Amino acid sequence: MLLWMLAVLAGYFVKGVAGFGNTLVVTSMMAFSRTNAELTPVELLLCVPTNLTLAFVHRRSIDWKLALPPLLMTLAGDALGVLLLSRVDVMVMKLIFGLVLILLGLEGCYRARQQAVKPAHPALMAALGVASGVLCGLFGVGALLAAYFARTTRDDATYKGSMCMIFAVENLFRVFAYGFTGLLTVATLKNAAVLLPFMAVGLALGVKCSGKMNVRVMKIVVNVLLMVSGVSLLWTYL
């Protein structure tokens, strides 16, 4: 449990800074002692208050016109991801998503260096939306959604507010879905309750640090985390 506490503290510090990445850190630190079916539901219960808090803090900056299409696409992919988590071996999907995340991170770093960034193709945005839902449903990882908003928002408040609003709705959807499929247990609830204070402390520290970062630095952090997320998924596959 001590390792889990440290993992949650570190993971939610990253969440406070970048708006995502908590699951990446927690699962990377815990992957060798816990299965996805054990880790993901606990992480989900910690994510719900986190994303509700961040969405509330940045509520005035939420771009609803921008956020509603990926929200619907994410929920559609989420249903598939939950079904796959409870019924199939997801190792091959880890390999595919890992490679995709690394490529998106590299492409995002290239885009961040350009003075005038062209808008991403609508078909790519649609694919990212659905794939982000599958990734969330399987592993609780929101990296693809972060990639979506990194390409469609111009300031940190809109980025975090819009993304965390979708995360909050998606989290609530998964709570019901996981409960229906039997992935939420009494042990899951107990573990989440013990880890809740560590989540709160890590998040508060991350939010405080994020206020000192400019948008360019923030997007670089996001793209680096995308690549690290991909490497993490490939590592667990290998």
Side-chain angles (χ1 to χ4, degrees):
M1 183 56 74
L2 177 60
L3 178 59
W4 208 335
M5 292 173 179
L6 294 173
V8 168
L9 187 66
Y12 282 86
F13 174 81
V14 172
K15 172 76 170 180
V17 171
F20 81 108
N22 49 296
T23 303
L24 156 69
V25 175
V26 174
T27 55
S28 296
M29 294 179 68
M30 299 297 299
F32 295 102
S33 60
R34 305 278 178 169
T35 65
N36 281 327
E38 293 175 300
L39 279 173
T40 304
V42 174
E43 249 284 286
L44 172 62
L45 294 179
L46 296 176
C47 283
V48 171
T50 302
N51 287 312
L52 287 173
T53 299
L54 290 176
F56 179 78
V57 169
H58 298 290
R59 63 191 182 281
R60 292 186 177 86
S61 299
I62 295 175
D63 187 334
W64 292 98
K65 183 177 179 181
L66 175 66
L68 283 177
L71 171 60
L72 296 176
M73 291 182 289
T74 296
L75 291 178
D78 219 4
L80 176 59
V82 171
L83 182 65
L84 291 173
L85 179 65
S86 61
R87 298 192 178 187
V88 302
D89 183 355
V90 296
M91 295 306 291
V92 173
M93 299 197 73
K94 281 189 175 184
L95 172 62
I96 295 171
F97 278 125
L99 292 172
V100 170
L101 289 176
I102 292 171
L103 291 174
L104 284 172
L106 290 171
E107 190 268 348
C109 287
Y110 172 77
R111 286 169 63 91
R113 296 180 59 186
Q114 308 304 305
Q115 295 298 323
V117 180
K118 296 180 180 180
H121 194 281
L124 173 61
M125 294 294 95
L128 283 178
V130 175
S132 70
V134 176
L135 194 60
C136 284
L138 282 170
F139 314 118
V141 175
L144 284 179
L145 194 59
Y148 183 103
F149 281 105
R151 287 159 173 73
T152 54
T153 57
R154 296 297 180 183
D155 63 90
D156 180 49
T158 302
Y159 164 77
K160 282 188 177 179
S162 301
M163 183 171 65
C164 288
M165 181 278 293
I166 293 180
F167 280 151
V169 176
E170 185 274 337
N171 289 167
L172 293 172
F173 173 84
R174 271 198 294 143
V175 166
F176 289 106
Y178 283 10
F180 182 77
T181 56
L183 290 169
L184 289 181
T185 64
V186 174
T188 300
L189 296 173
K190 289 181 178 178
N191 286 332
V194 171
L195 295 169
L196 194 61
F198 297 90
M199 176 275 287
V201 172
L203 182 67
L205 292 173
V207 169
K208 185 175 182 179
C209 290
S210 70
K212 301 178 181 179
M213 301 174 67
N214 62 39
V215 175
R216 186 180 180 86
V217 172
M218 179 64 68
K219 291 198 173 185
I220 291 174
V221 170
V222 168
N223 287 309
V224 169
L225 283 174
L226 286 173
M227 289 185 283
V228 174
S229 297
V231 171
S232 175
L233 288 173
L234 291 179
W235 179 264
T236 58
Y237 174 83
L238 297 173

